[in-house]
Structure formats: C-alpha cells, structure tokens
Amino acid sequence: MSVRLKLTLSYAGFLMVASALLLAAVWVFLLRYVPDGTNTPGMFGPSRSDLERAFVPKAAAGLAFLLVFGLVGGWMLAGRMLAPLTRITHATRLATNGSLSHRIDLEGRKDEFRELADAFDTMLAKLEAQVAEQQRFAANASHELRTPLAITQTLLDVARNDPDGDTRELVDRLHHVNTRAIDLTEALLLLSRADRRSFIREAVDLSLMAEEATETLLPLAEERGVTIETSGDITPTIGSDTLLLQLTTNLVHNAIVHNLPDQGTVWVTTGVHERTAVLSVENTGRALSPQLISTLVEPFQRGGNRTRSEHTGVGLGLAIVKSITEAHGGTLTLAPRPSGGLRVDVRLPAVPPRAG
C-alpha cells in the first residue's frame, strides 16, 4: 500500500474507533439507566427496548457515514500533507537522471518537509558545484597531458624526417618533456590521494616541515636571488607526514617562483594559536587583486599569466595544498599583501597538550 492509502486508512480507522467509543459511552452511561418497561401507573415513556430500536439503526447509519467521510477526508488530507514529498521525489528523479540544476524551492511554514527540501536543495547545489569542478579539472588535465604528448610527437616526427639531425639535442628535449609529463602525472595522483583522504594519521610538527622544505628549495631560492626567512615555535598537529611536507614544499616553491625578479623575500612562520596549528608563507611580488587570488586554488591556475618556465610547475601547487588542508580538517586562506605579493595561511587542528 502507498503511504497515502496507509494514512487514509489510519485517519478513517481512528475516526471510527473514536465514534464507536462515543456511542459506547452513550450506551453505558445513559441507556443502561432507562428501565426496560413502564411500571409507574399513569406515566408513559419509552422503554429501553424502544430506545434501542430507535438508537441502533441511527448509530449504524452514523458510523457508515463517518466511515465514508473518514476515507474521503483522510484521502484528501493525506494528499495535501504528502504533496511536498511528491515534489521532493520528482526532484530526486531529475537528479538521478543528471539534472542537478533543478531546485525544489518549497515554500510555506518551516516544518519537517520544508527542512528536508532545503537540505536537499543544499545538497544539489554542492553536487552541482563539485561536478562542474570535476569537469573543469578533467578538461584541464586532458589539455595539460596532451601538450607534452603533442610535443613529443612533433619531436619524433622531426627526427624521423631528418635522420641526420642532432640526436643528443632531441634526447635532451624529449627528456625535458617526459619529465614534465611525469611531474604532472604524479601531481594528479597526489591530488587524488588527498581527495580520497586515504592516509595514515600521525603526530607531525609543522615547524620541522617548514625547515625541511626550506632546505630542499634553498638552491632554487639562491638561483633566483630570493631570501627565505623561517621562524616559529614547535607546531604539533595530526596528519600525514608525506602530505603535509608536500603541502609546505608547494607553498614555499610557489612563494619563490612567483616573486620579484631580484632581491625577493619569503617568510615562513609556524605557531599555535587558540588550539590551531598555523603555517604562514608570505612572499614579495607584484600586487594581486582579490579576484585573481580567488582563482589561484583552482587546478592549473598559474597567477596572472600561464607562461611556463623551468620551475613554473604544472599548475596544481595550490590546488594540492587546498585538498591536503581540507583532508586534514583545516582551512586555507589567501590574502594579498599591501606592498605586493601573497600571504597564505594554513590552519590545522593542533594536538592538545598532554596532561601532567
């Protein structure tokens, strides 16, 4: 049976039970006190049997009417009450068929159905945004992976048409293109791993992550004339040692590459503030607009231009940072510096101090 039919039968059954109880009360508390005959001389009145003959048919007719009334009224009332559920079911079927742009937009009072519809609309909005982001990511990833493959194909075609060409130069160029394709593939795998949150959590000190990333990237900073300054206290948190090191390395690398042409500076600081482990990376550079900064965490975004250089990266640095931060239950904040450059703050849950 449908829910509407169940509710209808429930309404009608309740009405019949209530009516039967009312009639039984009339019988028990009224008719039982009427004598079964008139024994008083000179007085005339209906006896109990007379009242029973008059009462029982009318009571049966009244019960029959109440049954029909309960079924019809219950059917209409159940339909009215279940109308919002019908709209929610319709929206669910549309979403199942791939239409995520549809919204229920249920009006009326704030009841359980309204809360369910609003929650469903919120879920559809998030799903639509995630699907759109995944589609953009797939399109960009396809484009980025196709580029090194196309370059490799072109180099091989040139070499085949010119057998007497410089083989060593060809090998060097193929090695560079292949290295870039490998870096992009590894970045995509790392991003997928962070999104799945498939990693072992352990105690990690962000200050040690900052020191290790700085030492690793120091040759690149010296090559570009960038000074790195690190400061901060022990900053314990819980997470993946590998992923958090990758997060820190990406931030420092991004701060070095997107800096002033000469005499640039990168500041890396760590600390615990209000039970939150904070990693901050700042760098000098050109002025950035808030509109541009809002797009930097999207995959394959490289600031204001997409010109590649040897150390530009594959455009997934901040996207990976965002995914790793969210996988660790943290927040990522990007803000322009007044004098130019960018400030990035990563806030993760800090390890509570041990008792004793």
Side-chain angles (χ1 to χ4, degrees), residues 159-172:
R160 184 174 57 184
N161 296 328
D162 186 12
D164 299 329
D166 189 352
T167 306
R168 183 170 183 175
E169 180 183 358
L170 173 64
V171 171
D172 291 340

Side-chain angles (χ1 to χ4, degrees), residues 235-317:
T235 310
T237 186
I238 295 293
S240 168
D241 182 274
T242 303
L243 290 180
L244 290 178
L245 178 58
Q246 184 69 48
L247 176 148
T248 309
T249 303
N250 284 7
L251 288 179
V252 177
H253 181 275
N254 187 76
I256 294 173
V257 172
H258 300 283
N259 213 310
L260 296 175
D262 192 21
Q263 302 298 322
T265 306
V266 174
W267 296 273
V268 182
T269 58
T270 58
V272 178
H273 306 285
E274 298 180 355
R275 298 182 180 180
T276 302
V278 181
L279 168 66
S280 299
V281 179
E282 295 185 66
N283 67 291
T284 54
R286 65 184 184 88
L288 301 175
S289 65
Q291 292 77 12
L292 174 62
I293 289 178
S294 64
T295 65
L296 293 181
V297 294
E298 295 185 5
F300 306 106
Q301 294 296 322
R302 300 184 180 88
N305 58 75
R306 298 179 63 86
T307 303
R308 292 188 176 98
S309 65
E310 184 179 357
H311 301 287
T312 299
V314 296
L316 288 172

